[in-house]
Amino acid sequence: MISHSETLTQYRRDYRPPAFLVPRVEMIFDLDARATEVTSALYFERNPRQEICCRKLILNGEAQTLLEVTLNGTLLSPAQYHLTDKELHIPNVGERGVLVVKTRHAPADNTELEGLYLSSGIFCTQCEAEGFRRITYFPDRPDMLSRFTVTIRGDRKILPVMLSNGNLRAQGKLDDERHFATWEDPFPKPCYLFALVAGDLDVLHDQFVTCSGRRVDLEIYSTKENIPSCAYAMDALKRAMRWDEQRYSREYDLNRFMIFCADDFNMGAMENKGLNIFNSALVLADPKTATDDDYHAIESVIAHEYFHNWTGNRITCRDWFQLSLKEGLTVFRDQQFSSEMGTEASERIQMVDFLRRRQFPEDAGPIAHPVRPDEYREINNFYTTTVYEKGAEVIRMQHTLLGEEKFQRGMALYFERHDGQAVTCDDFIQAMQDASGVDLTQFKRWYEQAGTSEVGVCADYHADTREYVLTLTQRTPPTPGQPEKKDLVIPVGFALLDRDGKRVPLQQAASQWDEKSAAQESVTLILREKEQRFTFRHVPPGVVPSLLRDGSAPVRLLFDYRKEELRHLARYDSDPVNRWDAMQRCFTGELVALAQAAKEEKPFALSEDFLTLYAALLRDDRSDPMLRALALSCPDLAALVDDYAPFECNAFIEAQRFLLKTLADRLQNDLQTVFGQQRACISALPYAPTTEQRAHRRLAAHALSVCCANDDASSLALADDLYWRADNMTDAIVALTAIRDSGSALRADLYTDFARRWRDHPLVLDKWFSLEATRDGDDVLARVKTLTEHPAFTLKNPNRVRALLGAFALRNFPAFHRNDGSGYRLIAYYVDVLDASNPHSATMLLNAFRSWQKWDVAQRNHAFMALQELRQKERSPEAGELLDKMLANV
């Protein structure tokens, strides 16, 4: 087998404190697109916490030219240091001193977009996780906390704006048509939080007055034409700052907070101290170019990166194994924020849905890993839904177990105890335990074990005693490297619904609950053992259990609901998450039955009970329109793979097509009526991304999309009318999505018009590329190939790669899983091409294959051939590690 990389496996157990500390760093950047020179002065001293005496200073560095090294004022010859392609070793440095390193590199040639690079002509940086070592030689590890002073020098005309972390201390002209700016960050930080931006930029100014009365300058930098589109992001930032003060008593600590939006950016955003760098897609918004979903994402991510100021920056992680310490906690905080800015029910449903679609398959696949991994080869591969979203669920469960008051006490102690430190997940748990008095020893296993646990449920009703006995079991399937699992602490939200859909007061047996305790209509049962039994008294007959209410734990629920019980929950459950879940289970049941019919070549038929339920929820104007839209959406087929492996891709594709067309045929009038009703609720209002308007538009969009599934002329006319009347991007995209799979001439006309209208607006054109790539049609593969030759398509821009190739691989199930394997081969080809220039984009596409061993035999064989061919070539560390795991034990 060909070796993919020389990257060695890193183990959490091998952590050692650094031999030397670098409490102070002074950097000078002489910016030039082809030859930037960086001079770094590292004020180092021996670490008193490191017991092993080491006289060698070891610095990380790559992708740069070393010009000179000076130690304590003495220029070193090459014989006095040792340079490899990844490290610089300086022997015999003494107890303390000053090391000055001068390097040169070419930002214009940096296609990996890590370190210092150019984005649309603007100098910017991305240093997390290990990009700083591409800028200068430095001990690049998150527990190395340093105070940075940064001087940037550049051409006054080309680079009028030059930014870095912290506060601006000095600026002025130089003699040679250049100028300088000196920035000082008073807070120690790891180098992954370093940031630099320089270019011809305009700025949107605002101010925020903190709870203590300090005035903070707020600045969002972009090109002049984009500044008007930054207003919503600025408002979202101020909402997040106020919320963090009110909810967590966290006040901002610098004189200014800056955001720069980059056109070329591998990720969503980066929380660099005082100077956040964002993907432009998550900053720029106005009604004509941004959809409701765009506005929602901007608010959420702006908040997430700001919240990192305390949960990530002021307190950071000791090593990269602790990544979820900052990310899981901050995701939980931004979810709380979004729930309070919007509606808690719809936000929680979308969180649970995302977890099941994205994280559960990750936990069940070859790259399964704990929330706190024990080992890795390439840290960039661990920015995963397990670390982020499952990590947030682990925080949420602690909140459930402790309650709001004790959880907030734990957070306050965490901030007080560890401000200015690099710490671990264990430190966080300890703060929670010490503040609350609750023993969380067993709970720690959530950080240690990979895999999605399964909670089995057995319910018995005893009519003679009117007792309802609930038996809960837990099991976590084996995952790579973890064949044996220990019992977890699992909170299980629980209620019983009577025949009228009302909750039954719950009173547990005296041995489980104080006899004097008042009955409750819903409780949280704590499952700690492999099997536990809970008995409830005075329960009427015919009740239906509502389990895992509010998505109380990130587990799979194994309970054999009868169809009529699911329909009962879908119509009456007071818990929105379980109402949505019940409807999704009803959808899944229909898809499974139809897929079985396809395999057996039997006639298709949708059950009348399902049609009746769907129609009832569609017409249920007493319920939140957003909840109805979410509940009535057909499940993503990719989310069903693990439960129905080996997954017959073609059978389920046929099943889904039939289901949607049958809904359109049978409920055409109802769907059109609901569409009209929802549009009427907002037709007289100017567009605004409010919670109420978003809900009406979402349900209208769902109704229109389903009623267009059979190419009905009257429904297509509704889409046509919506498109031409649209005064906002949401309505335009709703219309285009509704006719995306249509074979009518109308589709070609509208798509051509949209592309012509927005050909000069990159973010809107990305939407067009995605719509084209996700079409369900025999010609879509050829269309995607054609679009890779489109003048606006480039592999150098991650957003454009995600919009076309990412959408095809990850969101077009029928086309990616074509019978002949051509969808796999297309994506494998671009994985190969991209891996040489931008491994981040390559691995994004490669993840489309993560469940390949659970597909049916024909698809498995095609996928194996595509992956095996990729494996035969030298790969980046990122792609090499993923391929090795995907093809392990094959």
Side-chain angles (χ1 to χ4, degrees), residues 18 33 255 626 686 700 767 778 846:
N255 297 335
M626 181 65 80
K767 302 180 193 302
D778 293 336
L846 189 55

PDB file of all heavy atoms in Angstrom, residues 18 33 255 626 686 700 767 778 846:
ATOM      1  N   PRO A  18       4.827  22.230  27.458  1.00  0.00           N
ATOM      2  CA  PRO A  18       5.969  22.646  26.640  1.00  0.00           C
ATOM      3  C   PRO A  18       7.210  22.885  27.502  1.00  0.00           C
ATOM      4  O   PRO A  18       7.111  23.312  28.654  1.00  0.00           O
ATOM      5  CB  PRO A  18       5.487  23.939  25.982  1.00  0.00           C
ATOM      6  CG  PRO A  18       4.410  24.453  26.891  1.00  0.00           C
ATOM      7  CD  PRO A  18       3.743  23.232  27.446  1.00  0.00           C
ATOM      8  N   ALA A  33       2.574  40.400  -2.205  1.00  0.00           N
ATOM      9  CA  ALA A  33       1.843  39.217  -2.655  1.00  0.00           C
ATOM     10  C   ALA A  33       2.767  38.068  -3.008  1.00  0.00           C
ATOM     11  O   ALA A  33       2.433  36.897  -2.781  1.00  0.00           O
ATOM     12  CB  ALA A  33       0.954  39.564  -3.855  1.00  0.00           C
ATOM     13  N   ASN A 255     -11.219  47.308  23.251  1.00  0.00           N
ATOM     14  CA  ASN A 255     -11.802  48.593  22.854  1.00  0.00           C
ATOM     15  C   ASN A 255     -12.571  48.512  21.544  1.00  0.00           C
ATOM     16  O   ASN A 255     -13.382  49.389  21.246  1.00  0.00           O
ATOM     17  CB  ASN A 255     -10.697  49.651  22.710  1.00  0.00           C
ATOM     18  CG  ASN A 255      -9.975  49.914  24.023  1.00  0.00           C
ATOM     19  OD1 ASN A 255     -10.527  49.697  25.097  1.00  0.00           O
ATOM     20  ND2 ASN A 255      -8.727  50.364  23.932  1.00  0.00           N
ATOM     21  N   MET A 626     -44.139  26.805  11.014  1.00  0.00           N
ATOM     22  CA  MET A 626     -42.795  26.242  10.887  1.00  0.00           C
ATOM     23  C   MET A 626     -42.778  24.788  11.338  1.00  0.00           C
ATOM     24  O   MET A 626     -42.171  23.928  10.689  1.00  0.00           O
ATOM     25  CB  MET A 626     -41.796  27.058  11.702  1.00  0.00           C
ATOM     26  CG  MET A 626     -40.359  26.561  11.603  1.00  0.00           C
ATOM     27  SD  MET A 626     -39.649  26.717   9.941  1.00  0.00           S
ATOM     28  CE  MET A 626     -39.217  28.464   9.938  1.00  0.00           C
ATOM     29  N   PRO A 686     -43.843  44.321   4.080  1.00  0.00           N
ATOM     30  CA  PRO A 686     -42.512  44.367   3.457  1.00  0.00           C
ATOM     31  C   PRO A 686     -41.676  43.202   3.981  1.00  0.00           C
ATOM     32  O   PRO A 686     -41.824  42.794   5.137  1.00  0.00           O
ATOM     33  CB  PRO A 686     -41.948  45.712   3.906  1.00  0.00           C
ATOM     34  CG  PRO A 686     -42.684  46.033   5.167  1.00  0.00           C
ATOM     35  CD  PRO A 686     -44.064  45.459   5.006  1.00  0.00           C
ATOM     36  N   ALA A 700     -45.389  27.724   3.107  1.00  0.00           N
ATOM     37  CA  ALA A 700     -45.789  27.975   1.720  1.00  0.00           C
ATOM     38  C   ALA A 700     -44.815  27.306   0.752  1.00  0.00           C
ATOM     39  O   ALA A 700     -45.231  26.722  -0.261  1.00  0.00           O
ATOM     40  CB  ALA A 700     -45.846  29.477   1.453  1.00  0.00           C
ATOM     41  N   LYS A 767     -26.094  29.864  -5.300  1.00  0.00           N
ATOM     42  CA  LYS A 767     -27.411  29.249  -5.123  1.00  0.00           C
ATOM     43  C   LYS A 767     -27.867  28.592  -6.422  1.00  0.00           C
ATOM     44  O   LYS A 767     -28.460  27.497  -6.410  1.00  0.00           O
ATOM     45  CB  LYS A 767     -28.425  30.301  -4.669  1.00  0.00           C
ATOM     46  CG  LYS A 767     -28.060  31.028  -3.379  1.00  0.00           C
ATOM     47  CD  LYS A 767     -29.120  32.054  -3.005  1.00  0.00           C
ATOM     48  CE  LYS A 767     -28.633  32.991  -1.914  1.00  0.00           C
ATOM     49  NZ  LYS A 767     -28.237  32.310  -0.690  1.00  0.00           N
ATOM     50  N   ASP A 778     -32.279  12.509 -15.137  1.00  0.00           N
ATOM     51  CA  ASP A 778     -31.276  11.659 -15.783  1.00  0.00           C
ATOM     52  C   ASP A 778     -30.093  12.450 -16.333  1.00  0.00           C
ATOM     53  O   ASP A 778     -29.002  11.894 -16.503  1.00  0.00           O
ATOM     54  CB  ASP A 778     -31.931  10.863 -16.923  1.00  0.00           C
ATOM     55  CG  ASP A 778     -32.941   9.847 -16.415  1.00  0.00           C
ATOM     56  OD1 ASP A 778     -32.815   9.439 -15.246  1.00  0.00           O
ATOM     57  OD2 ASP A 778     -33.855   9.477 -17.183  1.00  0.00           O
ATOM     58  N   LEU A 846     -14.905  13.956  -0.095  1.00  0.00           N
ATOM     59  CA  LEU A 846     -14.615  12.562   0.238  1.00  0.00           C
ATOM     60  C   LEU A 846     -15.576  12.031   1.298  1.00  0.00           C
ATOM     61  O   LEU A 846     -15.905  10.834   1.310  1.00  0.00           O
ATOM     62  CB  LEU A 846     -13.168  12.443   0.716  1.00  0.00           C
ATOM     63  CG  LEU A 846     -12.590  11.039   0.915  1.00  0.00           C
ATOM     64  CD1 LEU A 846     -12.732  10.199  -0.347  1.00  0.00           C
ATOM     65  CD2 LEU A 846     -11.116  11.149   1.320  1.00  0.00           C
TER      66      LEU A 846
END
